[in-house]
Amino acid sequence: MATRALFLPLVALSVSIPRLAAASGVAYPDGHYARVVRESVVVVRDEDSSLEELLVRAEIETDAPTLAYVMATTADVVAAPTDSAALDAVRTLARRPAAPLEIPGVDVANVALDTLKRPAGDEVDRWLRDHGFSGEGPVAAWAKASASEGRALTFVRASDPTAGRHVVRLPALRFALHTSATAVPYADADLDLSAHAAYLKRAGLCPSE
């Protein structure tokens, strides 16, 4: 069986990658803000079966009491929390710990996962609103566009009562899916991050630098 592990280039250097482009995003309630500030990723692929596993850990800056990390993948995805050993091993091999963030961080151990497989656009909007998240803005538009392309959307909901601006550290997550070729995430999404920043600024939700 031909199995290989792939590491995103910047992950191999520092086990953290800046938010440049994404097949993921984060939903949050109106009147708040949230943005992914760090993601660690290990990709493991079995060439014989075309099964690919994405091991992901995200850190999200927010002032919201609840949020949802959103991953767009092929429709046959199976998602669940997982052990962080593989991600921790990459950090050890890199011999370069992730740089500390300048604002307080909170580990969230318990999350709820919902996967919508090939959802209609109104189904995405209904899920967002039913769970108290904004149905407007670039992230919501990106999620709906991804759904229209036949992708599955996995929503990872986390709650944290910490007041003020802080970082939520999600547990390690495993996304298993079949692809005809290696599909490294965070490189092919249509999310315009400059538009996201402009939206936050217009809404008065952009944090001070």
Side-chain angles (χ1 to χ4, degrees):
M1 179 178 291
T3 302
R4 58 194 174 99
L6 305 175
F7 306 101
L8 293 188
L10 289 178
V11 174
L13 291 176
S14 65
V15 201
S16 63
I17 53 178
R19 189 71 177 165
L20 299 176
S24 63
V26 57
Y28 47 87
D30 285 321
H32 294 276
Y33 85 95
R35 66 187 185 98
V36 178
V37 292
R38 181 180 292 154
E39 286 167 311
S40 302
V41 185
V42 172
V43 183
V44 180
R45 179 175 174 79
D46 176 14
E47 295 287 8
D48 293 341
S49 65
S50 297
L51 177 66
E52 188 158 295
E53 294 188 359
L54 312 179
L55 307 179
V56 182
R57 185 163 49 196
E59 296 180 54
I60 301 168
E61 179 185 320
T62 187
D63 67 349
T66 183
L67 56 84
Y69 177 73
V70 191
M71 174 73 83
T73 62
T74 56
D76 66 341
V77 67
V78 176
T82 190
D83 187 88
S84 64
L87 291 160
D88 294 337
V90 175
R91 175 178 288 124
T92 300
L93 290 170
R95 296 181 181 176
R96 186 176 173 185
L101 298 172
E102 296 180 355
I103 58 178
V106 177
D107 292 303
V108 175
N110 298 317
V111 294
L113 279 71
D114 293 323
T115 298
L116 305 182
K117 299 192 175 185
R118 296 191 178 91
D122 60 342
E123 189 177 352
V124 175
D125 190 67
R126 185 166 59 253
W127 189 97
L128 290 169
R129 296 189 184 281
D130 285 351
H131 291 85
F133 300 118
S134 175
E136 306 297 331
V139 172
W142 162 76
K144 294 171 191 176
S146 295
S148 71
E149 295 169 357
R151 292 188 176 193
L153 294 173
T154 298
F155 297 88
V156 183
R157 288 181 286 130
S159 298
D160 171 48
T162 304
R165 181 184 173 201
H166 63 288
V167 170
V168 170
R169 291 187 289 262
L170 297 180
L173 304 166
R174 172 183 175 271
F175 298 86
L177 55 133
H178 287 87
T179 63
S180 58
T182 298
V184 178
Y186 319 112
D188 65 341
D190 242 353
L191 179 56
D192 184 341
L193 295 179
S194 62
H196 186 197
Y199 170 77
L200 291 175
K201 186 174 181 179
R202 287 196 307 273
L205 302 174
C206 187
S208 58
E209 298 297 331

